[in-house]
Amino acid sequence: MPNIGAPGYILLIILALLLFGPNKLPELGRAVGRTFREFKNGARDILSEDERAGRKESKDSVVQASQTTSSEVQPQPEDKRLS
């Protein structure tokens, strides 16, 4: 894929000015900025929810493992049939 380069960017800017006019371009820039900001915040929220769920699962597994270990440590009643 070839690089656009400086002449390509200049052509894109001139084309945008012709299509939207100099008064609309700042509004379009703000709208694009808001859109990117909302996307970034949404992605951050999703990632933090995944981290919280992962931490909760790891805590549950630690609690479950400690309960299993504590039941294994408790002395078992002796079997009278072996004596």
Side-chain angles (χ1 to χ4, degrees):
M1 187 164 95
N3 293 334
I4 294 175
Y9 286 120
I10 293 171
L11 184 63
L12 287 174
I13 291 171
I14 292 172
L15 183 65
L17 279 170
L18 290 174
L19 287 176
F20 300 110
N23 295 333
K24 272 290 195 190
L25 283 180
E27 294 174 27
L28 289 173
R30 280 191 290 274
V32 169
R34 280 189 224 116
T35 302
F36 283 136
R37 191 177 315 120
E38 288 294 323
F39 178 78
K40 189 170 75 170
N41 290 339
R44 187 180 301 136
D45 290 343
I46 290 171
L47 290 175
S48 66
E49 287 175 6
D50 288 345
E51 286 178 9
R52 279 187 250 141
R55 279 190 241 137
K56 183 178 178 184
E57 288 175 3
S58 66
K59 284 181 183 179
D60 291 344
S61 64
V62 168
V63 169
Q64 192 176 31
S66 66
Q67 290 173 350
T68 305
T69 307
S70 64
S71 66
E72 292 173 357
V73 173
Q74 294 176 354
Q76 301 293 328
E78 293 182 26
D79 192 1
K80 299 289 183 180
R81 293 178 286 168
L82 295 175
S83 306

